[in-house]
Amino acid sequence: MKLASVLGILILAATIIYVEWNYSKEKRAKWLSAGFTSVSALIGIVLLFDSNFPGPSAVVKLLFGRVDQMMK
């Protein structure tokens, strides 16, 4: 069942990258959207196999939590 989920994530990510690549005019925008989509797909696959892995909100809190405390 996880194999089907992994394939679904990869097919969806590939479709998004393909459509964005064809309709985006700037080279930098093409690479950024492909990079963000690839990283998101990788995080989705990792979370599929290890649900205890911290999500994106935990990473943002780790990065910017100290800045928030320093500003108070």
Side-chain angles (χ1 to χ4, degrees):
M1 194 63 172
K2 287 187 180 184
L3 180 63
S5 297
V6 169
L7 287 175
I9 291 171
L10 290 176
I11 290 171
L12 184 62
T15 303
I16 292 170
I17 291 171
Y18 177 76
V19 170
E20 286 292 329
W21 195 269
N22 286 334
Y23 289 111
S24 186
K25 294 180 182 179
E26 293 184 25
K27 186 176 182 181
R28 184 176 181 191
K30 289 180 182 183
W31 285 105
L32 282 174
S33 66
F36 284 135
T37 305
S38 300
V39 169
S40 299
L42 182 66
I43 290 172
I45 291 170
V46 168
L47 286 172
L48 182 66
F49 288 105
D50 184 16
S51 60
N52 293 328
F53 192 74
S57 61
V59 174
V60 170
K61 186 176 181 181
L62 177 68
L63 290 175
F64 297 110
R66 293 183 184 156
V67 175
D68 185 41
Q69 291 174 355
M70 290 170 45
M71 292 181 74
K72 287 184 181 180

